Amino acid sequence: MTTPPPVNVNAALASFDDVYSPRIVARVNDYDVRIAHTLGDHVWHVHDHTDEFFLVLDGRFDVTVRTGGEERTVVLHAGDTFVVPAGVEHKPSSPGGSILMFEPGGTSTTGNVPEGDVPGHIDSTTGHELRP
């Protein structure tokens, strides 16, 4: 088996402009390491069977969570991490930035939201392969 080449995250981010359309930059066991540009509102959604890890690479990234009937917004800046536990409804938003996510391969970016309910600026995907 050959080892994959290293990936420069900054160069990878520069290779595409789509927002909320993650690219898979690496795989670790059964997990994808994904990067994405962020801008505007995502959709309220939940991942019933997995946590969702975020690392803000650039800019600002907010995650509003609903727990116990209440909402709170976590404001994240470059270098900050945040984990949304499995089963917690959340809605990301951003005035602009980029993130790295770590989640099981095959996890949908829109969780439990039906395809027809996803706005056009959001890519409901399990991640795209990074193209050189």
Side-chain angles (χ1 to χ4, degrees), residues 5 11 22-24 30 61 81 87 93 99-100 102 112 117 122 131:
R23 302 306 194 263
I24 300 167
D30 296 333
F61 184 70
T81 64
S93 63
I99 58 173
L100 181 144
F102 189 73
N112 65 333
D117 295 337
I122 297 171
R131 295 185 186 142

Side-chain angles (χ1 to χ4, degrees), residues 17-28:
D17 294 322
D18 303 325
V19 297
Y20 296 123
S21 183
R23 302 306 194 263
I24 300 167
V25 295
R27 289 193 169 87
V28 180

Side-chain angles (χ1 to χ4, degrees), residues 98-119:
S98 57
I99 58 173
L100 181 144
M101 297 163 285
F102 189 73
E103 54 199 351
T107 301
S108 169
T109 57
T110 54
N112 65 333
V113 178
E115 286 286 329
D117 295 337
V118 178

Side-chain angles (χ1 to χ4, degrees), residues 77-102:
H77 300 278
D80 290 341
T81 64
F82 183 66
V83 175
V84 177
V88 172
E89 191 176 18
H90 57 287
K91 179 183 179 182
S93 63
S94 175
S98 57
I99 58 173
L100 181 144
M101 297 163 285
F102 189 73

